[in-house]
Every structure is written in C-alpha cells, then in structure tokens.
Amino acid sequence: SQQGEEDPQALSIQEGENATMNCSYKTSINNLQWYRQNSGRGLVHLILIRSNEREKHSGRLRVTLDTSKKSSSLLITASRAADTASYFCATGRYNNNDMRFGAGTRLTVKP
Amino acid sequence: NAGVTQTPKFQVLKTGQSMTLQCAQDMNHEYMSWYRQDPGMGLRLIHYSVGAGITDQGEVPNGYNVSRSTTEDFPLRLLSAAPSQTSVYFCASRSPGTGNGYTFGSGTRLTVV
C-alpha cells in the first residue's frame, strides 16, 4: 500500500497565484521528499525535509512537516506556467532504503 | 554525466514472453530501485538494492526478478509477461544517507498484449 497520499488530486490556478499541495502518511518516517514529474518524463527531486525539521525553503518552494499529524504541505509561490506538472510526496523509513510514493497532485497553471 | 539511463524507452511484448529492462547509472550511487507507475496509482516499488550483491523486495515484486552484480547496473527481468504488467517502469538511484533524493531515469513504457 502507498505510504503517502496527496491532496488534492488536481489543482488548477492562474499564473502568479500560490499553489498548495498536501501529503498525509501513515507510519513513522525518517524524512519526506517532494518530486515533480512533467508529462511523459521521469521524476525530479525538489526538496527533502527530515523528521526533526518543521519547515524548509528552496527558491519558490516551501515545505512544512507536522509529524504529530503525519502530514506535509508543499507551497509553490508566484506560480508559472512552467510549474504545470504532477507533484508527488515520498516518505523514507528507517535508512530510506525503501521510498514509498503517493498518487500525486496534478497542478495546472494557466497563463 | 548521463545520470540514470533506461533502455528501451518503449517495448511491446506478447503474453508469456520474457525480457529485461536495463538500467545503468554513472554517479557511483549505491542505492538503486525499480518502480512502476500506473494511472492514478502513483509509483509502486518493485525491487531495490543497497549495493552490489544485495537486493530486496518492494511492494509489488511478483513476476519480476532483479540482480545487482555491479554498482552501475540494475536490470529488471520480467519472467513471463502478463497484461497486468503493462505500465511505465522507472529506475532510480541515490547515494547513501538520509539527506539524498533519488535521481530517476526517463522510464520504459511497456505494453503486454
């Protein structure tokens, strides 16, 4: 069974708006990662947050982690049409040998 | 660096045929994994390896075999293809340690008829 579950399944916004995606998971984790997948391509690693961290930033990306609620959120600020893609969270357990992915959020940014 | 290279990019098999999906990385990554991606299902882990000579099963290992004779290569073998194995297969690799994300290949789209 999948470890992470993203919400919403699909999100459509206008260029310049912020996009927020959520991820919930079931078991204890060592870290949580977010990936982007453009249509027909492989996944690209965006950001990793460890279980002892609460917030992390990378450019226009902001990730939060609440281990008490077993949830994470990815915020993309000032979105661009090029941000149109599917976004996946992945959780690592123990030594992160076994990464489990959710079903993803499909983000569409309209110009 | 080429990163993670998967071959072939597309493949059509008949039910019962066998084949090997190739995966090679040139980043000296110890950890490698195979995932399959089906519509609405996200990525599901098939097999993974933490180093040459070491492999382990993931969520959906049935019908697939792997081996890891070198650090660079991690082939995935379909023993007797079934229509349920129609999917997009991704290979990924990373360095050890909890602070490293995976580098993914571009995928192999497999259709079993």
Side-chain angles (χ1 to χ4, degrees):
Chain A
S1 61
Q2 293 167 359
Q3 170 74 323
E5 297 291 340
E6 289 90 343
D7 173 65
Q9 292 185 350
L11 180 61
S12 181
I13 60 174
Q14 293 295 132
E15 206 165 29
E17 293 180 339
N18 295 340
T20 299
M21 289 158 270
N22 302 298
C23 171
S24 60
Y25 56 92
K26 298 175 183 176
T27 63
S28 297
I29 61 170
N30 183 285
N31 66 80
L32 187 143
Q33 304 178 24
W34 286 91
Y35 289 79
R36 183 187 74 232
Q37 183 182 35
N38 291 92
S39 182
R41 310 290 292 272
L43 279 74
V44 174
H45 181 252
L46 295 176
I47 194 167
L48 178 151
I49 186 166
R50 301 177 196 271
S51 60
N52 61 353
E53 297 176 311
R54 292 297 168 259
E55 187 171 314
K56 202 162 184 179
H57 296 256
S58 177
R60 293 184 296 113
L61 305 180
R62 172 177 168 255
V63 170
T64 61
L65 178 64
D66 187 334
T67 53
S68 66
K69 296 181 179 179
K70 292 186 169 57
S71 67
S72 173
S73 67
L74 171 67
L75 169 67
I76 303 174
T77 60
S79 61
R80 306 165 181 168
D83 294 328
T84 293
S86 292
Y87 292 82
F88 296 86
C89 69
T91 51
R93 300 175 296 174
Y94 307 109
N95 290 320
N96 202 21
N97 300 342
D98 179 5
M99 293 292 298
R100 303 295 178 99
F101 286 79
T105 291
R106 174 69 187 168
L107 173 66
T108 301
V109 181
K110 301 176 182 177
Chain B
N1 286 343
V4 178
T5 302
Q6 291 184 238
T7 56
K9 293 190 182 303
F10 301 93
Q11 182 71 48
V12 178
L13 287 180
K14 293 182 179 179
T15 298
Q17 286 185 318
S18 62
M19 79 159 294
T20 299
L21 307 185
Q22 301 293 343
C23 176
Q25 52 91 9
D26 62 358
M27 298 170 285
N28 203 32
H29 286 169
E30 291 189 31
Y31 292 177
M32 296 185 75
S33 296
W34 275 103
Y35 291 88
R36 60 177 287 174
Q37 184 176 31
D38 303 293
M41 296 290 292
L43 281 79
R44 289 182 291 170
L45 181 64
I46 305 172
H47 286 285
Y48 64 99
S49 169
V50 299
I54 306 169
T55 63
D56 208 344
Q57 296 181 351
E59 301 171 80
V60 288
N62 292 340
Y64 308 95
N65 274 358
V66 292
S67 60
R68 185 93 181 272
S69 56
T70 66
T71 298
E72 294 78 19
D73 300 300
F74 190 42
L76 178 71
R77 282 183 287 278
L78 280 71
L79 308 175
S80 177
S84 61
Q85 293 179 305
T86 293
S87 188
V88 181
Y89 291 84
F90 288 100
C91 179
S93 73
R94 71 174 186 89
S95 296
T98 57
N100 300 308
Y102 271 107
T103 298
F104 277 79
S106 57
T108 294
R109 185 174 295 274
L110 176 69
T111 302
V112 182
V113 298

